[in-house]
Structures are given as C-alpha cells and as structure tokens.
Amino acid sequence: MSLPEQFGPYELHELINSGGMADLYLATNPQKQTLAIRRLRHKGTFDFTTKRRFIRGCQVLSHIHNHEFVIAYIDHGKINGSYFLAMEYIEGNNLKLLAADADPVLAENIGNVLIESAQALDHVHESGFIHLDFKPENILLSRNAALRLVDFDLSIPKPEQPIKTKNNPGTPAYMSPEQLLRQPIDHRLDIFAYGVTAFELLTSQKPFPGETAEDILRLQLDRSGFKTPREINPDIPVAMEKIILKCLEQNPEKRYPFTSVLVRDLQAALYV
C-alpha cells in the first residue's frame, strides 16, 4: 500500500502499529490536523465477536474520553466497509516497550505515571465501566511524559454487585484470581491488574510469572515463593509496597474498595 491513503475524509500517512485485530495509522483530517486512526482488519464476514468488541471499545471511549489521562475520542463509524476509530495521536510509546528499553522518560516520571494511571482507571470506574485489560501495554506515555489510558474493547458496564460473565477476556498475567477461577467479578479486578502493573514497572518482574493461566493462578493461590516488591527492589518506598500488596490481595474484599482510595494513598506515598 502506498501512503498516504485516502480513507473517507482522512488521509492515512503511516502505519504505526499492527495489533491482533486492528491497524493503527498516523493520519490527518481535512483541516490537516494530526490524529490516529485505528482500523479494524477484515477477518471474515462472520467474525462477530471481533466486530462487537471493536465497536464497544469505540462506544465506551466516546462516553469516557473527557479526562486528561484517557485518550481523546474524535469519531468512529464505518468507511468503505471498514470499521474505524479516530482519536488523539500521542507521539510516544506504551509502558511495556518503554520499560523494556529502560527509557529515561519512564524512569524519571515513574511517580507521576503510577498516580496518573490510577487516576485514569478511577475515571473509568466513576464513568460506570470496568476496563478489563489494564496493563502496561495499554498505557501510552509521550516524549514529554503525557500519559493516556487506551483500548476499551473489553470494557463492560460496572456492576453494583459482582457478576459472572459468559466470556473471560483479558490478559492472564494481569487477571485477578476470581477472574481466572471464573467467579463473579467487579471493578476490583482492575485494582488487582493495577497492582500487577505497578509491581512490574518498579521491579521489572511480574509478581506471578507463570507461562499459562493455570500456572499464574497456582502462584496467586499458593504464595509460598512470592517475593515482595522491596525484596526485588529495596529502593521502593515502604508505603508504595504496602499499596501494591493491598492491590494484589487474593480476596477482593481485602483490596481497595474504590480506585479513588488507591489514588489518595498513592499521592500520599509518592509525594507527587
């Protein structure tokens, strides 16, 4: 494909990333403003699950994007048979790649990253949704350390009481025990995922480093070999370790009840 490609009113200039279900392009609108276009790849006429998740992610973002740490929504729909999402363009990378590269932008702003990502998650919950795929890969950080939470394809309405779901989507390394056990879930699974994310960003290790969902669950339930964050990285503040361990509690009743309380404790622990 020779770029730029005309895609409805947009011009696609560069393929930024190609994920499991969609391609992400650097694009411009008719006013020559820069934005990102996420375009669903064709996987067959009857791939209803992928289409449904993509459209749901667009709809959720359209409801919750009005927050400084959530990627800004511009438009979504269908052009020439292709479903798309137009959103804010962030020049930077996700936390997974930045951590792997030991990028100084992440290292120098880690306190803000930990707080702002929790604030973004709190906004999702306050807006009435569970993210369901909170992880470093879904958090972008620009070159000037602007943070954005992305990818709401798996998001579901936040229930008043824990509910059982038909499907069990997500990334096993960041799933809570109740999710892996197929027990009723609520927003506290996102708080567990935050704990895994914070642990990983501060230690360069996962707290439950299994190869399969079964391995991960076994380590979550039998913590005899579990190493606390400060055992791996003694530079982590004691208060920050307590926060992570509270997020990683096996029993959701022992975790933070609300993300707003998590944010409050993070701000106190990190003095940011």
Side-chain angles (χ1 to χ4, degrees), residues 6 36-37 63 71 81 90 103 120 126 149 173-174 180 242 263:
Q6 195 67 38
I37 295 285
H63 281 94
I71 198 75
I90 292 291
D103 194 290
E126 287 294 311
L149 180 62
Y174 302 90
L180 289 170
K242 288 181 179 178
V263 170

Side-chain angles (χ1 to χ4, degrees), residues 32-263:
K32 302 303 178 185
Q33 296 168 319
T34 301
L35 63 148
I37 295 285
R38 187 171 180 242
R39 185 165 68 176
L40 183 65
R41 287 203 300 275
H42 291 289
K43 285 192 171 183
T45 307
F46 298 105
D47 189 7
F48 300 122
T49 300
T50 298
K51 290 177 185 175
R52 184 168 60 250
R53 286 179 176 176
F54 184 88
I55 294 168
R56 179 174 61 195
C58 297
Q59 292 170 338
V60 170
L61 182 59
S62 72
H63 281 94
I64 70 168
H65 74 100
N66 189 24
H67 188 273
E68 60 181 322
F69 303 132
V70 173
I71 198 75
Y73 167 90
I74 296 172
D75 191 19
H76 79 277
K78 194 175 183 182
I79 294 175
N80 299 330
S82 295
Y83 292 95
F84 78 96
L85 168 66
M87 56 188 173
E88 172 187 21
Y89 171 67
I90 292 291
E91 187 176 0
N93 225 322
N94 67 60
L95 297 191
K96 178 182 178 180
L97 293 175
L98 293 175
D101 293 339
D103 194 290
V105 174
L106 175 57
E108 292 165 10
N109 295 278
I110 188 63
N112 284 322
V113 165
L114 291 168
I115 292 171
E116 291 169 6
S117 57
Q119 289 175 319
L121 189 57
D122 184 43
H123 174 70
V124 174
H125 292 171
E126 287 294 311
S127 301
F129 294 95
I130 302 174
H131 190 283
L132 261 178
D133 203 18
F134 187 90
K135 58 184 179 180
E137 197 172 353
N138 286 333
I139 303 167
L140 304 182
L141 195 66
S142 75
R143 292 178 180 175
N144 62 352
L147 181 142
R148 299 290 188 275
L149 180 62
V150 302
D151 197 344
F152 300 90
D153 292 348
L154 302 185
S155 297
I156 61 172
K158 178 185 166 195
E160 292 186 9
Q161 299 292 331
I163 58 167
K164 293 201 75 169
T165 57
K166 290 183 180 179
N167 302 311
N168 199 31
T171 306
Y174 302 90
M175 285 183 176
S176 64
E178 66 270 19
Q179 190 176 4
L180 289 170
L181 287 166
R182 305 302 301 268
Q183 294 173 347
I185 58 168
D186 63 11
H187 64 283
R188 290 171 295 184
L189 63 78
D190 280 343
I191 293 175
F192 187 92
Y194 176 88
V196 177
T197 297
F199 189 111
E200 187 175 8
L201 292 176
L202 291 171
T203 68
S204 300
Q205 297 181 27
K206 288 186 173 69
F208 312 107
E211 293 295 321
T212 66
E214 291 75 18
D215 291 340
I216 292 163
L217 177 61
R218 187 165 55 250
L219 291 171
Q220 289 176 352
L221 299 179
D222 175 15
R223 303 199 179 189
S224 56
F226 176 77
K227 288 188 176 181
T228 66
R230 282 174 51 82
E231 287 182 84
I232 303 168
N233 178 5
D235 292 333
I236 297 171
V238 172
M240 185 65 214
E241 180 179 71
K242 288 181 179 178
I243 291 170
I244 293 172
L245 295 178
K246 189 172 180 66
C247 291
L248 293 178
E249 284 283 359
Q250 180 181 327
N251 183 350
E253 295 293 334
K254 294 183 177 180
R255 291 178 214 146
Y256 285 99
F258 305 106
T259 344
S260 56
V261 186
L262 166 62
V263 170

